C-alpha cells in the first residue's frame, strides 16, 4: 500500500468513528481555512509481536526516519517520532507503546492474552494498524479494572489498533493562527478541551504549543451491555522557530504526557 493510501484510509476510519473530528475539520474549512495535519499518532503494547518496531515499518519503508524518543515514567509508556527528511510540512508520525512489563501481573496477562488472540496473518504491520479489537467479547468489568491501573491499557483493550489521533497544524491556518483562537472557537461550539496541565500544553519558549479536545464517546458493546466511553480526539499544534530559524520538529515529553489524557474516562 502506498503511504498516502494508508494515511487516507486511517483518516476515513477516524472521521467515521469520531464525528467531532469531521465537524471541526468542516468548521475550519467553512471559514476559509486550509487544514493540514502536523502529525498522526498510534498506540500499542511493548509486546514484540505488535510493538513500535512493528508499527513503524510502513513509515520507514516510505522514507520516514526516527527522530526522537520519549519516556513517560508515570504512565509506563514509551514513544518515538518520525519525520520525512527535508519537508517542513511533512505529516510527522508519533507511535507510543505501553510498557506492560512495568505493570501488574493482571495487566501483563490481560494484554498478552489479547495479543495471543490476534490471528498470525494479521500481525503484518499494514494489517495490524487497522485491526481494531480482534479479541473476544469485551468485558466492562475488565475495562474498569484496567482503568484503575492504566487508562492507556483500558483504551487499548476497548479500541485496539487504529489511529489514536490526528493533529491539525495551526501553523498552516490563517485566521486561527494561535492555540488560543482555535480553543475559543471550539469552546464556543461546545467542545470540551483537555484541561490537564492547562488548556495549552507547552509554550512559545519550548517551541511547541499543543491543545486537544477530549475524546468523542463511542458506544461500545460489552458482554454486560453497551457503554459510551471515550474513543479518539483531535489535537492542534503550533510550532515555533529557534534563534537559528530552525522549525522545532519534535515533541515535549511533559506536554505529550498530558495530551495522552484526552482519552481518559469522563462522564458525558
Ligand atoms: Ni499528538
Amino acid at each position: 500500500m502506498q503511504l498516502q493510501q494508508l494515511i487516507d484510509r486511517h483518516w476515513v476510519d477516524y472521521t467515521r468513528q469520531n464525528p467531532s473530528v469531521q465537524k471541526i475539520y468542516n468548521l475550519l474549512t467553512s471559514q476559509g481555512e486550509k487544514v493540514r495535519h502536523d502529525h498522526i499518532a498510534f498506540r500499542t503494547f511493548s509486546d514484540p509481536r505488535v510493538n513500535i518496531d512493528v508499527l513503524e515499518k510502513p513509515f520507514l519503508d516510505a522514507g520516514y526516519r526516527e527522530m526522537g524518543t520519549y519516556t513517560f515514567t508515570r504512565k509506563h509508556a514509551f514513544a518515538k517520532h518520525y519525520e520525512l527528511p527535508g519537508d517542513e510540512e511533512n505529516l510527522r508520525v508519533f507511535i507510543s507503546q505501553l510498557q506492560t512489563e512495568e505493570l501488574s501481573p493482571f495487566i501483563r496477562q490481560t494484554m498478552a492474552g489479547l495479543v495471543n488472540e490476534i490471528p498470525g496473518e494479521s500481525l503484518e504491520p499494514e494489517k495490524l494498524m487497522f485491526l481494531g479489537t480482534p479479541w473476544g467479547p469485551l468485558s466492562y468489568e475488565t475495562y474498569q479494572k484496567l482503568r484503575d491501573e492504566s487508562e492507556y491499557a483500558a483504551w487499548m483493550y476497548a479500541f485496539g489498533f487504529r489511529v489514536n489521533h490526528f493533529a491539525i497544524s495551526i501553523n498552516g491556518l490563517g485566521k486561527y493562527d494561535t492555540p488560543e483562537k482555535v480553543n475559543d472557537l471550539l469552546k464556543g461550539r461546545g467542545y470540551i478541551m483537555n484541561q490537564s496541565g492547562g488548556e495549552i500544553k507547552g509554550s512559545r519558549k519550548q517551541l511547541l504549543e499543543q491543545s486537544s479536545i477530549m475524546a468523542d464517546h463511542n458506544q461500545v458493546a460489552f458482554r454486560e451491555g453497551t457503554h459510551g466511553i471515550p474513543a479518539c480526539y483531535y489535537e492542534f499544534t503550533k510550532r515555533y522557530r529557534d534563534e537559528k530559524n530552525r522549525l522545532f520538529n519534535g515533541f515535549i515529553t511533559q506536554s505529550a504526557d498530558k495530551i495522552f489524557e484526552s482519552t481518559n474516562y469522563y462522564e458525558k
Side-chain angles (χ1 to χ4, degrees):
M1 206 187 299
Q2 290 294 308
L3 181 73
Q4 194 55 51
Q5 283 177 283
L6 188 138
I7 303 289
D8 290 347
R9 199 177 146 198
H10 278 300
W11 176 253
V12 168
D13 288 352
Y14 170 67
T15 49
R16 191 184 292 141
Q17 291 156 347
N18 303 282
S20 291
V21 172
Q22 190 71 58
K23 284 183 196 154
I24 292 170
Y25 184 95
N26 293 349
L27 174 62
L28 286 166
T29 52
S30 73
Q31 305 221 6
E33 297 286 6
K34 196 171 176 299
V35 175
R36 148 167 90 75
H37 289 116
D38 175 89
H39 65 269
I40 181 174
F42 300 91
R43 291 182 180 178
T44 188
F45 311 120
S46 55
D47 188 308
R49 293 171 289 179
V50 299
N51 65 9
I52 291 174
D53 298 344
V54 175
L55 287 185
E56 71 179 3
K57 277 188 188 130
F59 299 101
L60 295 182
D61 289 348
Y64 273 83
R65 289 200 204 138
E66 182 192 318
M67 299 298 284
T69 62
Y70 310 89
T71 300
F72 305 94
T73 313
R74 247 187 48 240
K75 290 190 170 62
H76 304 283
F78 173 75
K80 291 185 178 182
H81 103 263
Y82 306 81
E83 296 167 36
L84 269 180
D87 177 9
E88 269 194 1
E89 298 191 357
N90 78 106
L91 178 72
R92 296 157 188 84
V93 175
F94 186 91
I95 311 177
S96 64
Q97 66 183 28
L98 186 69
Q99 305 292 72
T100 49
E101 65 281 2
E102 296 175 10
L103 290 151
S104 70
F106 170 71
I107 293 214
R108 283 206 308 273
Q109 283 156 17
T110 305
M111 299 289 126
L114 300 180
V115 180
N116 289 342
E117 285 191 57
I118 304 174
E121 68 272 15
S122 299
L123 292 169
E124 198 268 312
E126 289 188 17
K127 286 188 185 150
L128 179 67
M129 66 192 339
F130 293 101
L131 209 55
T133 51
W135 33 82
L138 297 173
S139 150
Y140 195 65
E141 193 192 336
T142 303
Y143 171 76
Q144 285 179 307
K145 205 171 161 194
L146 290 169
R147 266 192 56 222
D148 286 343
E149 192 179 340
S150 164
E151 287 275 356
Y152 192 124
W155 188 90
M156 279 303 295
Y157 175 69
F159 298 106
F161 299 95
R162 55 160 74 182
V163 68
N164 176 261
H165 65 273
F166 278 74
I168 290 183
S169 168
I170 296 175
N171 298 62
L173 300 178
K175 192 165 118 196
Y176 296 97
D177 59 352
T178 66
E180 287 85 353
K181 288 179 196 171
V182 172
N183 293 353
D184 285 347
L185 173 71
L186 298 179
K187 285 187 288 183
R189 303 286 171 134
Y191 291 99
I192 305 162
M193 307 305 297
N194 173 342
Q195 301 289 348
S196 179
E199 201 166 280
I200 296 169
K201 284 78 168 148
S203 63
R204 197 182 186 117
K205 203 173 154 205
Q206 286 179 296
L207 306 178
L208 177 67
E209 292 177 315
Q210 294 168 277
S211 67
S212 59
I213 57 165
M214 288 301 286
D216 267 352
H217 275 217
N218 278 12
Q219 294 299 316
V220 175
F222 291 94
R223 222 183 284 147
E224 301 92 333
T226 299
H227 289 267
I229 60 169
C232 300
Y233 60 94
Y234 216 176
E235 186 191 319
F236 314 92
T237 65
K238 172 113 186 193
R239 297 182 179 277
Y240 295 92
R241 293 182 185 278
D242 65 14
E243 68 285 353
K244 288 182 175 151
N245 204 34
R246 290 171 307 199
L247 188 72
F248 178 74
N249 277 304
F251 293 85
I252 307 282
T253 301
Q254 200 193 338
S255 300
D257 185 88
K258 302 300 181 198
I259 292 278
F260 273 124
E261 296 175 18
S262 309
T263 61
N264 278 13
Y265 183 80
Y266 67 103
E267 299 277 350
K268 215 169 180 180

